[in-house]
């Protein structure tokens, strides 16, 4: 199936590694011009090199901290001045601080709100009018399975990310008439370097192999394994295409069958 994405421009945030990088790689392989961004220049440069090498795509890397409004401003301006437009916004964020309610401070809540909600609002504000003027756009928000099934030690994710489901529905209704769709992704357990590192630490502490740790962690996932970052990328690529023009305002679970609730 030709997704018809060749020549489109995508801005993918938090994309120097993990899920964000997986998304950027898949889009680049589909012929999309990609803007990647994260906080660390060295990681970004490495990510850019990887993407360019495997896809030959045009890739712009911009350092930006999503919790800093001026950085978000600069990111969108640089993307626009390099590529002219942004057709596809893929909002992904770094992981919020783990912790239970009693462990988290009020500052932690404020930071998580900037990281997981306000940055999404700032980015959307800066790209959506240009999409309206061209009558086409894709707004895609990467969240988490915690919207469906809270995880005890991730109270910030359980709570703050839920607001993105409201944002997605609101944007879908308001901007649907302009050829723009807004959707969210609720991914389950995805094997990134960060997760692999956690597995290595646990393996060392318990004196077992990394494979054994990952196997134990995967027991509750019907697919029997963690997902791969590029598997989130395939979903993003489809949602970004014209083939998905009728999917609007949806929150889509991609979790190997982990979450047990029906809706
Ligand atoms: P990761 O740690 O592998 O990558 C996070 C990316 O975000 C990196 O590129 C990092 O540089 C960037 N980043 C971090 N803080 C930032 C900031 N303030 N501004 C800009 N960039 C920033 O994480 P991941 O596993 O790929 O997860 C991505 C998101 O998905 C996270 O929010 C995570 O909580 C969520 N999530 C992950 C999983 C999983 O199993 N991996 C499951 C559900 C939800």
């Amino acid at each position: 199936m030709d997704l018809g994405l060749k020549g489109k421009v995508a801005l993918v945030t938090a994309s120097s590694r993990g899920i964000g990088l997986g998304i950027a790689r898949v889009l680049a392989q589909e012929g999309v011009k990609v803007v990647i961004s994260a906080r660390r220049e060295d990681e970004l440069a490495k990510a850019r090199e990887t993407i360019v090498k495997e896809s030959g795509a045009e890739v712009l890397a911009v350092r930006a901290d999503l919790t800093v409004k001026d950085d978000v401003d600069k990111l969108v301006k640089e993307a626009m001045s390099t590529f002219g437009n942004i057709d596809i916004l893929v909002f992904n964020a770094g992981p919020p601080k783990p912790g239970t309610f009693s462990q988290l401070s009020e500052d932690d809540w404020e930071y998580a709100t900037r990281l997981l909600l306000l940055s999404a609002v700032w980015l959307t504000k800066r790209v959506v009018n240009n999409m309206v003027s061209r009558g086409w756009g894709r707004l895609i928000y990467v969240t988490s399975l915690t919207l469906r099934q809270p995880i005890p030690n991730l109270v910030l994710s359980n709570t703050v990310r839920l607001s993105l489901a409201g944002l997605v529905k609101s944007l879908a209704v308001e901007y649907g008439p302009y050829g723009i769709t807004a959707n969210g992704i609720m991914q389950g357990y995805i094997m990134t370097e960060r997760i692999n590192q956690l597995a290595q630490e646990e393996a060392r502490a318990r004196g077992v192999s990394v494979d054994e740790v990952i196997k134990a962690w995967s027991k509750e996932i019907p697919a029997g394994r963690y997902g791969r970052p590029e598997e989130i990328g395939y979903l993003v690529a489809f949602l970004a295409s014209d083939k998905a023009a009728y999917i609007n305002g949806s929150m889509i679970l991609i979790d190997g069958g982990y979450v047990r609730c029906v809706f």
Side-chain angles (χ1 to χ4, degrees), residues 13-20 37-40 43 64-67 92-96 111 115-116 142-145 157 161 187-195 226:
T13 58
S15 47
S16 63
R17 57 170 195 260
I19 294 170
S37 116
R39 284 177 306 185
R40 284 182 45 185
E43 277 198 7
D65 183 335
L66 282 175
T67 65
N92 178 50
Y111 185 83
L115 179 68
L116 301 176
V142 178
T143 67
S144 171
L145 62 72
S157 180
R161 282 195 214 266
Q187 73 280 17
Y189 293 98
I190 306 299
M191 187 49 69
T192 58
E193 280 167 37
R194 182 172 60 93
I195 304 287
Y226 272 52

Side-chain angles (χ1 to χ4, degrees), residues 223-241:
R225 65 171 176 86
Y226 272 52
R228 294 186 290 273
E230 61 271 24
E231 290 179 304
I232 307 303
Y234 302 143
L235 175 57
V236 167
F238 179 68
L239 288 174
S241 76

Side-chain angles (χ1 to χ4, degrees), residues 191 194-204 209-210 213-214 217:
M191 187 49 69
R194 182 172 60 93
I195 304 287
N196 199 279
Q197 210 172 339
L198 293 176
Q200 284 181 21
E201 282 164 22
E202 184 158 327
R204 256 196 306 275
S209 73
V210 176
V213 169
I214 292 173
W217 285 358

Side-chain angles (χ1 to χ4, degrees), residues 169-189:
K169 260 304 178 214
S170 308
L171 292 171
V173 172
E174 187 170 346
Y175 292 103
Y178 301 97
I180 297 167
T181 64
N183 292 292
I185 293 175
M186 300 179 292
Q187 73 280 17
Y189 293 98

Side-chain angles (χ1 to χ4, degrees), residues 27-92:
L27 290 176
Q29 283 157 12
E30 289 298 314
V32 174
K33 298 173 193 168
V34 183
V35 183
I36 58 170
S37 116
R39 284 177 306 185
R40 284 182 45 185
E41 302 267 12
D42 53 339
E43 277 198 7
L44 265 179
K46 217 174 100 196
R48 183 181 178 280
E49 202 185 306
T50 305
I51 302 171
V52 171
K53 205 182 271 179
E54 68 184 13
S55 65
E58 288 182 58
V59 183
L60 171 72
V62 183
R63 200 214 71 84
D65 183 335
L66 282 175
T67 65
V68 178
K69 204 183 196 175
D70 284 350
D71 281 13
V72 171
D73 234 355
K74 190 178 94 265
L75 167 61
V76 175
K77 277 187 185 137
E78 274 194 44
M80 291 281 199
S81 75
T82 303
F83 292 129
N85 296 303
I86 295 170
D87 302 296
I88 304 158
L89 169 67
V90 185
F91 170 77
N92 178 50

